[in-house]
Amino acid sequence: MAPGDPIRVEMTKWEGRPHWEYDGVYLGADEHGEWLGFRVGTFYRRPGMEFVATFSGVMLVPAGGAAHLAAFNDQAAKAAIYVDMATPAAWDGRVLRSVDLDLDVVKLQDGTVYVDDEDEFAEHTVEYGYPADVVAMAEASAREVFAAVRAGVTPYDGTAERWLRELQVSQGM
């Protein structure tokens, strides 16, 4: 893919249950992985909820098949950083697919960092029968990402600012 190419993100929950779907643009890649952009006005939809974004953001698809997807948002969003623990993402043409595993690491604009949806993860582990290796993968990823976000280590150190600027340039801002 080339910078500016349209892409689509299709997340599911376990066993193919529909989850978030939205469109964006491919921004490029660096040593951290591939970067995707989502402009103000992006339409996000999942069963039972949809909205048009009043903020822009970029997503890092980590190199090496990490078990998370990291979103970095502009100041208009409630969360500066929102990281979904998920199965390693895979491209199907220009569609990025991954399974959301409930746990999230969130950094609010005021700097507060926390792990979200631990209760949902515990419920779904039983209800959907997450395999032990998937549970271990999600929990380990959440611990690692939480520590990295809290410490502000790369790529949670402002690295995404470059890509947010790239997105603004691509929007003509």
Side-chain angles (χ1 to χ4, degrees):
M1 279 184 279
D5 282 351
I7 57 91
R8 180 160 184 81
V9 175
E10 293 183 357
M11 300 291 293
T12 61
K13 287 291 194 173
W14 196 250
E15 296 181 338
R17 290 171 181 85
H19 198 44
W20 288 111
E21 296 183 3
Y22 45 97
D23 297 310
V25 295
Y26 187 84
L27 296 174
D30 65 13
E31 68 274 15
H32 305 294
E34 295 177 288
W35 292 88
L36 314 178
F38 306 95
R39 299 176 172 110
V40 170
T42 297
F43 179 68
Y44 292 81
R45 175 180 49 216
R46 72 171 191 196
M49 180 181 226
E50 55 188 45
F51 70 94
V52 175
T54 58
F55 59 90
S56 61
V58 296
M59 176 189 287
L60 173 61
V61 181
H68 64 272
L69 291 168
F72 303 84
N73 301 312
D74 68 17
Q75 292 291 323
K78 179 180 177 183
I81 299 173
Y82 196 100
V83 186
D84 285 303
M85 299 317 111
T87 60
W91 287 102
D92 179 6
R94 291 187 183 185
V95 178
L96 182 72
R97 299 182 193 281
S98 183
V99 178
D100 182 298
L101 296 171
D102 312 313
L103 292 173
D104 307 302
V105 173
V106 181
K107 180 178 182 181
L108 301 177
Q109 297 290 353
D110 69 4
T112 303
V113 179
Y114 61 94
V115 176
D116 197 21
D117 294 334
E118 291 174 294
D119 55 341
E120 182 180 343
F121 179 71
E123 289 171 20
H124 288 173
T125 295
V126 173
E127 182 179 348
Y128 300 147
Y130 292 168
D133 62 328
V134 170
V135 171
M137 176 185 69
E139 291 174 337
S141 185
R143 281 191 306 275
E144 292 167 13
V145 170
F146 177 80
V149 170
R150 194 165 188 192
V153 300
T154 188
Y156 307 105
D157 61 348
T159 297
E161 293 301 316
R162 168 192 171 203
W163 297 101
L164 282 165
R165 285 191 302 276
E166 291 284 330
L167 179 62
Q168 290 174 344
V169 168
S170 75
Q171 294 181 92
M173 298 177 102

